[in-house]
Amino acid sequence: MSRFFLTTAIDYANGDPHLGHAYEKMGADAIARYRRLQGDDVWFLIGMDEHGQKVAQTAAEQGIAPADLAESLAQRFQAMWRRLGITHDQFIRTTTDAHRSGVQELIERIFERNPDDFYERAYSGWYCVGCEAFKQDAEIADGHCVLHPTRTLEWVEETNWFFRLSRYQQFLQDLHRDQPEFLQPDSRRNEILGLLEQGLEDISASRARLTWGVPFPRPVSSGERQITYVWFDALPNYWTATRFPDSRAEWPAQLHVIGKDITRFHAVIWPAMLEAAGLPLPERVWAHGFVQYRGERFSKSAGARLDLAEAIDRFGPDAFRYFLLREVPWDNDGNFSWERFEERYTAELADGLGNLAARSLTMLAKYRDGAVPAGNATELDQQGLAAIERYVAAMDRLDLRAGADVAWELVTAANLFVQQHAPWSLAKAGRNAELDNVLGALARCLYRLSLLTSPFLPDTSQVLFEAVGASGEAASARWDTLLDPPVGGARSSVPAILFPKPETVS
RNA sequence: GGCAGGGUAGCUCAGCUGGUUAGAGCACGGCACUCAUAAUGCCGGGGUCGCGGGUUCGAGUCCCGCCCCUGCUACCA
C-alpha cells in the first residue's frame, strides 16, 4: 500500500463555484477514488485562497469584512462539493492560523538556506486607486484602468521583497527536460520549456499596498512591514496543509491537479520555491483543460449563464460527473452542451449501463428468484479481465476518459453476450446448467462494472454493488475481488431504474 | 510577430516508422429478438482525409507554399 497525496488548486474566494471549479474537483475526485480502489492510502486536499486585494474589494463592495466574505464562500464551495460527492480529506483555507504561520515558516526556511534568494528592489507600475492594485498593459485603455476609467492612473514605485527566481532557471530546465512526467500533459510541458528558454525574471514576494494577506515575516530595510504577495501565499498551501494538526498528509504530494492557466506558477515558481527551501518537489503536476460553454471559457460571467446547481439537478450528480469526465478530455479543452449531455445520458447511462443492469437483475429474479448462481467462467469473464487491464493502464496515466471508455466497452460486450446466449430461450428449454453459467457471468460482470464505474458514478456504483448481492461499500472493496467477484451464492435484487429517461422523469 | 499543437464521415475523435476497397462511437435508415428503461443484437447509407504544388511504383501518412483554429509569449488565482 502506497501513499497518494493529491491536491487541486485552491479556489479564489471572489465568487460562487461554477462549472470550471466543479470540473477540476470531479476529475481529481475520480483519481482519488480510483487510487483508493487500488488500495492506496489517499489524502485528498482541496481548499480556498482567501487573501488578496480582490477579496478585500469585493467584501468592501458588499459592506462586509473580508473574513466574513471568505467564510460565506467557503461554506458555499463546501456545500457544492458535498453535493457532487467529492471525497476530499481536508479543506484548507489560507486565512487560518496554521496556513499563515506555515507560509512564514517556509519563507524563513528560504532566508536561512539561501539568504540571497530574497532581496529588496523597487517595483514600479501604473497603480489604480480604484482597484488598489498595479495594472498591466492589458488592463489599461487610453491611459486609464478599464475598470475605473474615470480615475487617473498613478505611476508608483515601492520597495518590496523579491525572490530570485532567475537563479533557478537551469534547475528548472533540467527538471523539465530530465523528468518529463513532472509536468503533464506534454503540450503544457512544451510551453514551459519554451518559456524557460526566454529566461526568467525575479518576482515580487511582498507588496507594500496589500492589506489582506499574510504578513511577510521580515520588514524591509526602512522598517516597513509588508504583506506576502500571491505566489508565496497561495502556492505553499500544499505544503502547509501537511502541517495542520488534524492532517495526515505527508509532503511531498504525489499529484497537483491544476488548470492550464496556472501551469506556470506550479511548474516554475513553486518548484523553485521548494528547492530554495530545501524541500522535495511534488511528483507530478497535471494541468487539465477547460470546459467551454458555447465556445467560451467558464468564468464568473459564464457561470451566470449556466447555473451549476441547476445543471446538477437536471440529471443528478452522478450523471453530471460522468458526462463531464467522459465528454471533456482531461488533457485538453472540451465543450459543455445540453444536446451532448442528453445524448450521452440516454445512450450510455440509460440504454447502456442502466438497461444492462435492469435486464440482468430482472432475469436473475425471474429465473433464479434472486439467487446468484456460481456457474463456470465464460467469455464475458475473459472480456472483463481484459477490460480491467486496459482500465488500469488508462487510469494510471490519468486518462479518465479512456478509463470510462473501457468500462462502457464492457457494457457493450455484456449486452452482446446476453443476445448471443438468449437466457430466455435457455429458461424455456430447461437448460439450467447453461442458464446458470450465463446468469452467473452477468452478475460478475455487474460487480466488475460497479467498481470500474465508481470513480465516475459513485452513487450508482453502490446501488449496483448491493443489487448483485455484494456486501459493504463498493468504494472500499478490494481491487483483487475483480478477478473473481464474490457474488456466487449471494442474493441479488432489482433496484429502481438507475437512469430514468427524461420523458419518464416528467 | 515568435514558439508549439491542430484542421479526417452530421457530431466527438482513432489512424505507429508512407502500401490491399480510410476506421470507431454517437446520430440516421432497415431487419431480428423479447430478459430489459421501445431497451438490445445484426446489416446499411454517409468522407475531394483544410487548399495548391512536389517526392515516390504508391501519401491522410514525407517535403514546400498558402488558408483557418487553439495554446503559450510571466506579477491575473
Side-chain angles (χ1 to χ4, degrees), chain A residues 11 72 127 137 147 160 251 256 284 324 350 411 415 461 465 475 484-485 492 497:
Chain A
D11 298 313
S72 108
Y127 187 84
D137 291 346
L147 298 177
N160 53 41
W251 191 256
H256 287 325
R284 178 144 63 161
L324 280 160
V411 170
N415 274 323
S461 160
F465 192 75
D484 189 16
S492 69
I497 287 176

PDB file of all heavy atoms in Angstrom, chain A residues 11 72 127 137 147 160 251 256 284 324 350 411 415 461 465 475 484-485 492 497:
ATOM      1  N   ASP A  11      -9.384  27.483  -4.679  1.00  0.00           N
ATOM      2  CA  ASP A  11     -10.256  28.382  -5.441  1.00  0.00           C
ATOM      3  C   ASP A  11     -10.288  29.766  -4.802  1.00  0.00           C
ATOM      4  O   ASP A  11     -10.258  29.899  -3.585  1.00  0.00           O
ATOM      5  CB  ASP A  11     -11.664  27.796  -5.507  1.00  0.00           C
ATOM      6  CG  ASP A  11     -11.674  26.466  -6.230  1.00  0.00           C
ATOM      7  OD1 ASP A  11     -11.061  26.386  -7.313  1.00  0.00           O
ATOM      8  OD2 ASP A  11     -12.254  25.494  -5.710  1.00  0.00           O
ATOM      9  N   SER A  72     -18.290  32.890   4.141  1.00  0.00           N
ATOM     10  CA  SER A  72     -19.531  32.520   3.464  1.00  0.00           C
ATOM     11  C   SER A  72     -19.248  31.766   2.168  1.00  0.00           C
ATOM     12  O   SER A  72     -19.923  30.797   1.826  1.00  0.00           O
ATOM     13  CB  SER A  72     -20.384  33.773   3.244  1.00  0.00           C
ATOM     14  OG  SER A  72     -20.404  34.147   1.904  1.00  0.00           O
ATOM     15  N   TYR A 127      -0.573  52.377 -11.013  1.00  0.00           N
ATOM     16  CA  TYR A 127      -1.378  51.954  -9.883  1.00  0.00           C
ATOM     17  C   TYR A 127      -2.760  52.588  -9.975  1.00  0.00           C
ATOM     18  O   TYR A 127      -2.892  53.798 -10.164  1.00  0.00           O
ATOM     19  CB  TYR A 127      -0.693  52.388  -8.583  1.00  0.00           C
ATOM     20  CG  TYR A 127      -1.354  51.847  -7.334  1.00  0.00           C
ATOM     21  CD1 TYR A 127      -1.042  50.573  -6.865  1.00  0.00           C
ATOM     22  CD2 TYR A 127      -2.288  52.620  -6.628  1.00  0.00           C
ATOM     23  CE1 TYR A 127      -1.639  50.068  -5.726  1.00  0.00           C
ATOM     24  CE2 TYR A 127      -2.892  52.128  -5.490  1.00  0.00           C
ATOM     25  CZ  TYR A 127      -2.573  50.853  -5.044  1.00  0.00           C
ATOM     26  OH  TYR A 127      -3.163  50.352  -3.914  1.00  0.00           O
ATOM     27  N   ASP A 137      -0.440  46.293 -18.847  1.00  0.00           N
ATOM     28  CA  ASP A 137      -0.838  46.971 -20.085  1.00  0.00           C
ATOM     29  C   ASP A 137      -2.216  46.520 -20.582  1.00  0.00           C
ATOM     30  O   ASP A 137      -3.001  47.320 -21.069  1.00  0.00           O
ATOM     31  CB  ASP A 137       0.210  46.714 -21.182  1.00  0.00           C
ATOM     32  CG  ASP A 137       1.510  47.439 -20.855  1.00  0.00           C
ATOM     33  OD1 ASP A 137       1.471  48.310 -19.950  1.00  0.00           O
ATOM     34  OD2 ASP A 137       2.521  47.136 -21.481  1.00  0.00           O
ATOM     35  N   LEU A 147     -11.411  49.181 -15.544  1.00  0.00           N
ATOM     36  CA  LEU A 147     -12.487  49.041 -14.555  1.00  0.00           C
ATOM     37  C   LEU A 147     -12.865  50.390 -13.940  1.00  0.00           C
ATOM     38  O   LEU A 147     -13.976  50.570 -13.458  1.00  0.00           O
ATOM     39  CB  LEU A 147     -12.047  48.096 -13.435  1.00  0.00           C
ATOM     40  CG  LEU A 147     -11.723  46.661 -13.866  1.00  0.00           C
ATOM     41  CD1 LEU A 147     -11.235  45.850 -12.672  1.00  0.00           C
ATOM     42  CD2 LEU A 147     -12.941  45.994 -14.481  1.00  0.00           C
ATOM     43  N   ASN A 160       9.925  46.464  -2.399  1.00  0.00           N
ATOM     44  CA  ASN A 160       9.443  45.264  -1.721  1.00  0.00           C
ATOM     45  C   ASN A 160      10.405  44.105  -1.876  1.00  0.00           C
ATOM     46  O   ASN A 160      11.434  44.219  -2.524  1.00  0.00           O
ATOM     47  CB  ASN A 160       8.016  44.910  -2.162  1.00  0.00           C
ATOM     48  CG  ASN A 160       7.870  44.809  -3.657  1.00  0.00           C
ATOM     49  OD1 ASN A 160       8.726  44.277  -4.317  1.00  0.00           O
ATOM     50  ND2 ASN A 160       6.795  45.359  -4.185  1.00  0.00           N
ATOM     51  N   TRP A 251       4.267  15.475   3.044  1.00  0.00           N
ATOM     52  CA  TRP A 251       4.959  16.057   1.917  1.00  0.00           C
ATOM     53  C   TRP A 251       6.083  15.141   1.480  1.00  0.00           C
ATOM     54  O   TRP A 251       6.735  14.568   2.333  1.00  0.00           O
ATOM     55  CB  TRP A 251       5.497  17.459   2.287  1.00  0.00           C
ATOM     56  CG  TRP A 251       5.981  18.180   1.084  1.00  0.00           C
ATOM     57  CD1 TRP A 251       7.273  18.381   0.710  1.00  0.00           C
ATOM     58  CD2 TRP A 251       5.161  18.741   0.063  1.00  0.00           C
ATOM     59  NE1 TRP A 251       7.311  19.032  -0.491  1.00  0.00           N
ATOM     60  CE2 TRP A 251       6.031  19.262  -0.914  1.00  0.00           C
ATOM     61  CE3 TRP A 251       3.778  18.829  -0.133  1.00  0.00           C
ATOM     62  CZ2 TRP A 251       5.558  19.879  -2.076  1.00  0.00           C
ATOM     63  CZ3 TRP A 251       3.318  19.436  -1.282  1.00  0.00           C
ATOM     64  CH2 TRP A 251       4.215  19.967  -2.237  1.00  0.00           C
ATOM     65  N   HIS A 256      -0.398  17.238  -8.128  1.00  0.00           N
ATOM     66  CA  HIS A 256      -1.138  18.501  -8.070  1.00  0.00           C
ATOM     67  C   HIS A 256      -2.037  18.552  -9.310  1.00  0.00           C
ATOM     68  O   HIS A 256      -1.523  18.549 -10.436  1.00  0.00           O
ATOM     69  CB  HIS A 256      -0.206  19.711  -8.164  1.00  0.00           C
ATOM     70  CG  HIS A 256       0.616  19.973  -6.942  1.00  0.00           C
ATOM     71  ND1 HIS A 256       0.168  19.752  -5.663  1.00  0.00           N
ATOM     72  CD2 HIS A 256       1.879  20.465  -6.805  1.00  0.00           C
ATOM     73  CE1 HIS A 256       1.111  20.102  -4.805  1.00  0.00           C
ATOM     74  NE2 HIS A 256       2.161  20.529  -5.466  1.00  0.00           N
ATOM     75  N   ARG A 284       4.201  15.029  -9.406  1.00  0.00           N
ATOM     76  CA  ARG A 284       3.621  15.321 -10.700  1.00  0.00           C
ATOM     77  C   ARG A 284       2.633  16.476 -10.631  1.00  0.00           C
ATOM     78  O   ARG A 284       1.917  16.637  -9.652  1.00  0.00           O
ATOM     79  CB  ARG A 284       2.910  14.084 -11.260  1.00  0.00           C
ATOM     80  CG  ARG A 284       2.234  14.335 -12.586  1.00  0.00           C
ATOM     81  CD  ARG A 284       2.302  13.167 -13.517  1.00  0.00           C
ATOM     82  NE  ARG A 284       1.597  11.992 -12.999  1.00  0.00           N
ATOM     83  CZ  ARG A 284       1.200  10.988 -13.778  1.00  0.00           C
ATOM     84  NH1 ARG A 284       1.416  11.015 -15.067  1.00  0.00           N
ATOM     85  NH2 ARG A 284       0.593   9.964 -13.254  1.00  0.00           N
ATOM     86  N   LEU A 324     -19.305  15.046 -17.766  1.00  0.00           N
ATOM     87  CA  LEU A 324     -18.166  15.942 -17.948  1.00  0.00           C
ATOM     88  C   LEU A 324     -16.850  15.195 -18.061  1.00  0.00           C
ATOM     89  O   LEU A 324     -15.997  15.531 -18.866  1.00  0.00           O
ATOM     90  CB  LEU A 324     -18.124  16.955 -16.801  1.00  0.00           C
ATOM     91  CG  LEU A 324     -19.109  18.087 -17.048  1.00  0.00           C
ATOM     92  CD1 LEU A 324     -19.449  18.809 -15.768  1.00  0.00           C
ATOM     93  CD2 LEU A 324     -18.540  19.058 -18.072  1.00  0.00           C
ATOM     94  N   ALA A 350     -28.689   5.414 -19.565  1.00  0.00           N
ATOM     95  CA  ALA A 350     -30.000   4.762 -19.518  1.00  0.00           C
ATOM     96  C   ALA A 350     -30.008   3.463 -20.338  1.00  0.00           C
ATOM     97  O   ALA A 350     -30.228   2.376 -19.802  1.00  0.00           O
ATOM     98  CB  ALA A 350     -31.076   5.721 -20.009  1.00  0.00           C
ATOM     99  N   VAL A 411     -19.744  -2.906 -21.062  1.00  0.00           N
ATOM    100  CA  VAL A 411     -21.210  -2.878 -21.112  1.00  0.00           C
ATOM    101  C   VAL A 411     -21.689  -3.413 -22.463  1.00  0.00           C
ATOM    102  O   VAL A 411     -22.591  -4.256 -22.533  1.00  0.00           O
ATOM    103  CB  VAL A 411     -21.744  -1.428 -20.908  1.00  0.00           C
ATOM    104  CG1 VAL A 411     -23.234  -1.362 -21.212  1.00  0.00           C
ATOM    105  CG2 VAL A 411     -21.462  -0.952 -19.481  1.00  0.00           C
ATOM    106  N   ASN A 415     -23.967  -6.808 -23.247  1.00  0.00           N
ATOM    107  CA  ASN A 415     -25.230  -6.809 -23.992  1.00  0.00           C
ATOM    108  C   ASN A 415     -25.184  -7.811 -25.136  1.00  0.00           C
ATOM    109  O   ASN A 415     -26.155  -8.512 -25.404  1.00  0.00           O
ATOM    110  CB  ASN A 415     -25.532  -5.405 -24.533  1.00  0.00           C
ATOM    111  CG  ASN A 415     -26.263  -4.554 -23.498  1.00  0.00           C
ATOM    112  OD1 ASN A 415     -27.102  -5.067 -22.759  1.00  0.00           O
ATOM    113  ND2 ASN A 415     -25.930  -3.284 -23.436  1.00  0.00           N
ATOM    114  N   SER A 461     -22.790   3.291  -8.501  1.00  0.00           N
ATOM    115  CA  SER A 461     -21.879   2.180  -8.260  1.00  0.00           C
ATOM    116  C   SER A 461     -22.287   1.403  -7.016  1.00  0.00           C
ATOM    117  O   SER A 461     -22.310   0.169  -7.011  1.00  0.00           O
ATOM    118  CB  SER A 461     -20.464   2.745  -8.090  1.00  0.00           C
ATOM    119  OG  SER A 461     -19.647   1.833  -7.417  1.00  0.00           O
ATOM    120  N   PHE A 465     -23.617  -2.387  -6.727  1.00  0.00           N
ATOM    121  CA  PHE A 465     -22.842  -3.270  -5.845  1.00  0.00           C
ATOM    122  C   PHE A 465     -23.778  -4.071  -4.943  1.00  0.00           C
ATOM    123  O   PHE A 465     -23.658  -5.289  -4.817  1.00  0.00           O
ATOM    124  CB  PHE A 465     -21.911  -2.387  -5.005  1.00  0.00           C
ATOM    125  CG  PHE A 465     -20.836  -3.126  -4.252  1.00  0.00           C
ATOM    126  CD1 PHE A 465     -19.725  -3.629  -4.918  1.00  0.00           C
ATOM    127  CD2 PHE A 465     -20.924  -3.284  -2.871  1.00  0.00           C
ATOM    128  CE1 PHE A 465     -18.712  -4.285  -4.221  1.00  0.00           C
ATOM    129  CE2 PHE A 465     -19.924  -3.944  -2.168  1.00  0.00           C
ATOM    130  CZ  PHE A 465     -18.807  -4.440  -2.845  1.00  0.00           C
ATOM    131  N   ALA A 475     -16.898   1.438  -2.663  1.00  0.00           N
ATOM    132  CA  ALA A 475     -15.733   2.318  -2.643  1.00  0.00           C
ATOM    133  C   ALA A 475     -14.562   1.732  -1.865  1.00  0.00           C
ATOM    134  O   ALA A 475     -13.420   2.113  -2.071  1.00  0.00           O
ATOM    135  CB  ALA A 475     -16.111   3.676  -2.058  1.00  0.00           C
ATOM    136  N   ASP A 484     -12.191 -12.463  -9.339  1.00  0.00           N
ATOM    137  CA  ASP A 484     -13.248 -13.463  -9.163  1.00  0.00           C
ATOM    138  C   ASP A 484     -14.291 -12.888  -8.214  1.00  0.00           C
ATOM    139  O   ASP A 484     -14.266 -13.143  -7.015  1.00  0.00           O
ATOM    140  CB  ASP A 484     -12.648 -14.752  -8.594  1.00  0.00           C
ATOM    141  CG  ASP A 484     -13.682 -15.882  -8.601  1.00  0.00           C
ATOM    142  OD1 ASP A 484     -14.697 -15.747  -9.302  1.00  0.00           O
ATOM    143  OD2 ASP A 484     -13.449 -16.876  -7.884  1.00  0.00           O
ATOM    144  N   PRO A 485     -15.194 -12.085  -8.752  1.00  0.00           N
ATOM    145  CA  PRO A 485     -16.172 -11.376  -7.921  1.00  0.00           C
ATOM    146  C   PRO A 485     -16.936 -12.317  -6.982  1.00  0.00           C
ATOM    147  O   PRO A 485     -17.439 -13.360  -7.432  1.00  0.00           O
ATOM    148  CB  PRO A 485     -17.107 -10.741  -8.955  1.00  0.00           C
ATOM    149  CG  PRO A 485     -16.247 -10.538 -10.145  1.00  0.00           C
ATOM    150  CD  PRO A 485     -15.331 -11.725 -10.172  1.00  0.00           C
ATOM    151  N   SER A 492     -29.368 -11.420  -5.125  1.00  0.00           N
ATOM    152  CA  SER A 492     -29.470 -10.191  -5.900  1.00  0.00           C
ATOM    153  C   SER A 492     -30.863  -9.604  -5.737  1.00  0.00           C
ATOM    154  O   SER A 492     -31.776 -10.273  -5.245  1.00  0.00           O
ATOM    155  CB  SER A 492     -29.207 -10.480  -7.379  1.00  0.00           C
ATOM    156  OG  SER A 492     -30.263 -11.244  -7.922  1.00  0.00           O
ATOM    157  N   ILE A 497     -35.046   1.868 -11.339  1.00  0.00           N
ATOM    158  CA  ILE A 497     -34.335   2.204 -12.572  1.00  0.00           C
ATOM    159  C   ILE A 497     -33.193   3.168 -12.269  1.00  0.00           C
ATOM    160  O   ILE A 497     -33.394   4.202 -11.624  1.00  0.00           O
ATOM    161  CB  ILE A 497     -35.320   2.813 -13.582  1.00  0.00           C
ATOM    162  CG1 ILE A 497     -36.229   1.696 -14.116  1.00  0.00           C
ATOM    163  CG2 ILE A 497     -34.592   3.491 -14.718  1.00  0.00           C
ATOM    164  CD1 ILE A 497     -37.300   2.181 -15.055  1.00  0.00           C
TER     165      ILE A 497
END
